Amino acid sequence: MVTDVDFAVFDIDYAANDFQDLISVTATDGVTTYLPSTTNSGFNATNQILSPGVVRGTTGNTDSSSRGNAYFDFGGAEFNSISITYGNGPSAPSQPDGQGVSLNNIYFTIIPEADAAWALLPLAILLGWGAWRRKSLLHARSV
């Protein structure tokens, strides 16, 4: 499980008769689906936030400009799977040209699994007791 997940997708944009980037992001813990808080670069952005976790390109952008960036933040949600779907938006032609985005600045916090640690506790006690017992027997023999 992880929490505090946030990341950026760079260069979400659109070129008429060429391509239209469309990104969809969700996460799940196997029971609940989580949607991230979603923002873009704001003024002069080359993309539009359609709903939490869904962004599509609206105008062209150079690969080095931050105008095509979108930011996804899951806050304190705890989950074990994330899905990032990349494809063409509704304005893309049936045979789009080359297109691409990049995933950047991925941050997260791993949540240790308490069950695994507790499962090892009896083994640790047994090994500790065994070591103590062995030391006691060796000491008794040497006296």
Side-chain angles (χ1 to χ4, degrees):
M1 297 285 275
V2 294
T3 188
D4 303 321
V5 175
D6 66 88
F7 58 90
V9 177
F10 292 176
D11 197 29
I12 302 171
D13 59 353
Y14 165 73
N17 301 316
D18 198 3
F19 66 87
Q20 182 180 35
D21 295 328
L22 178 65
I23 301 285
S24 176
V25 178
T26 61
T28 184
D29 59 9
V31 176
T32 304
T33 298
Y34 299 96
L35 300 174
S37 168
T38 309
T39 57
N40 60 14
S41 59
F43 182 71
N44 285 333
T46 63
N47 55 53
Q48 173 187 26
I49 299 167
L50 301 177
S51 61
V54 181
V55 180
R56 75 172 170 204
T58 55
T59 60
N61 183 48
T62 63
D63 293 343
S64 61
S65 170
S66 64
R67 293 177 49 220
N69 299 356
Y71 307 92
F72 302 89
D73 187 347
F74 286 93
E78 298 178 3
F79 53 87
N80 57 9
S81 177
I82 190 164
S83 173
I84 302 171
T85 305
Y86 173 70
N88 292 298
S91 297
S94 61
Q95 297 294 319
D97 197 1
Q99 64 192 95
V101 297
S102 62
L103 189 60
N104 295 277
N105 305 328
I106 305 167
Y107 299 99
F108 59 92
T109 301
I110 296 173
I111 302 171
E113 292 189 34
D115 293 342
W118 285 111
L120 294 176
L121 184 59
L123 178 60
I125 291 170
L126 183 62
L127 290 173
W129 179 81
W132 173 82
R133 178 80 174 131
R134 183 171 166 237
K135 185 177 177 182
S136 295
L137 289 174
L138 289 175
H139 179 69
R141 287 183 191 164
S142 65
V143 175

